[in-house]
Amino acid sequence: MARKNNIGRRPTGTPRGGRPTGDEQVRVQEDDTLVDIVEVRDQGLDFFERNRKPIIIAVVALIAIVAGALLYHTFIQRPAERNAAEQMQQAQYQFEQDSFSLALTNPGQGYPGFLDIADQYSSTKAGNLANYYVAVSYLNLGQYEAALDYLQDFDAEGELLPAMKMGVMGDLQSELGDFDAAISSYREAVDESGKNFLTGGYYLNKLGLLLREQGRNEEALAAFRRLKAEFGNSTEAAQADKYIAALEG
């Protein structure tokens, strides 16, 4: 039997001529997608191979940084925080007794004063707080410039400390004769107090008194009226009516 000529015949398994069927379109799309995925994978592997050394160095460096930070926090920072807080207790005791000189340099029983704590534990929260204690101590000792230097180094955070910092700032500026700056600081202290009637009432009263002393009676009257209206639970609010009556008259 003569063998049929296969020239020009479609190879077995290949699609017929004309438009591909739906299943054939899906297979073509899947093949194209597979090719794209393989190309992306190969490109990624090629990039890694060409940059293996710097990538490994970067990863190792990142691990070292994270591990170092963890070790520093666990074995250095945390013990330092605890030690600083313990060391400061005696100085705090002297501060509460109004023994400001002792609190600064020699609180007793072999403990350091606030000056040494602020210097030796500057990276801790206790060391930062020591700056505030130093500032207030110097304020009470009449060393206003030194107090101002330490107050500026104090990083106030939380709900009460920002208001307290600005209040002490106002006290120092007032003692130094910079009354406009002091008024601004007292205003900021009141703003930082929010609804806290303890600090808000205390510094609003100081603001009103300073405004009155400076002859800014309308502003002083507004301050005392606000003191009575917004911080009526404060101790200072009890005196507000007296000042309001005097300023209105």
Side-chain angles (χ1 to χ4, degrees):
M1 178 182 294
R3 303 179 69 180
K4 293 184 178 179
N5 190 345
N6 289 322
I7 295 176
R9 290 189 176 217
R10 176 174 57 85
T12 303
T14 61
R16 298 177 180 274
R19 297 177 60 86
T21 64
D23 291 340
E24 291 167 348
Q25 286 181 325
V26 171
R27 283 198 298 272
V28 170
Q29 291 173 353
E30 290 176 347
D31 290 343
D32 290 342
T33 301
L34 181 59
V35 169
D36 291 340
I37 293 173
V38 172
E39 288 179 350
V40 171
R41 183 200 63 190
D42 289 344
Q43 289 173 1
L45 292 173
D46 182 57
F47 175 82
F48 179 79
E49 289 298 329
R50 286 187 287 108
N51 299 276
R52 176 188 295 270
K53 188 174 181 179
I55 289 174
I56 292 175
I57 291 174
V59 171
V60 171
L62 179 60
I63 293 173
I65 291 172
V66 173
L70 181 61
L71 290 172
Y72 175 80
H73 178 73
T74 303
F75 296 104
I76 298 178
Q77 184 70 23
R78 190 180 298 171
E81 290 281 3
R82 183 169 56 250
N83 190 43
E86 292 173 355
Q87 293 289 306
M88 198 162 65
Q89 290 179 2
Q90 186 65 19
Q92 287 175 314
Y93 170 77
Q94 296 292 0
F95 181 89
E96 292 166 1
Q97 304 304 310
D98 293 340
S99 299
F100 301 111
S101 293
L102 293 178
L104 284 171
T105 58
N106 185 25
Q109 299 185 27
Y111 286 97
F114 288 130
L115 286 171
D116 286 336
I117 293 170
D119 179 51
Q120 296 174 13
Y121 298 96
S122 59
S123 64
T124 67
K125 294 180 180 179
N128 175 56
L129 186 59
N131 287 312
Y132 175 80
Y133 280 115
V134 172
V136 175
S137 296
Y138 275 140
L139 168 62
N140 282 277
L141 293 171
Q143 300 183 42
Y144 306 126
E145 295 288 355
L148 194 58
D149 287 341
Y150 276 90
L151 188 64
Q152 289 171 340
D153 288 337
F154 173 53
D155 183 17
E157 297 180 348
E159 296 182 2
L160 289 177
L161 293 179
M164 293 169 65
K165 176 178 179 176
M166 294 313 302
V168 175
M169 183 72 75
D171 293 341
L172 289 170
Q173 291 164 333
S174 179
E175 294 291 350
L176 290 168
D178 193 351
F179 300 116
D180 287 341
I183 288 170
S184 295
S185 293
Y186 286 142
R187 290 190 194 279
E188 188 170 346
V190 175
D191 291 341
E192 290 285 359
S193 296
K195 296 182 179 181
N196 188 305
F197 69 88
L198 293 175
T199 56
Y202 181 72
Y203 291 120
L204 189 53
N205 184 65
K206 282 199 169 192
L207 173 63
L209 291 173
L210 182 55
L211 287 167
R212 184 185 180 207
E213 289 175 6
Q214 296 302 302
R216 297 163 63 169
N217 292 340
E218 289 300 321
E219 293 177 82
L221 181 58
F224 287 119
R225 284 173 175 169
R226 182 184 176 190
L227 172 60
K228 184 177 179 181
E230 297 183 22
F231 302 100
N233 291 330
S234 67
T235 303
E236 293 74 20
Q239 302 294 319
D241 283 333
K242 177 180 68 175
Y243 295 120
I244 291 172
L247 289 165
E248 287 178 337

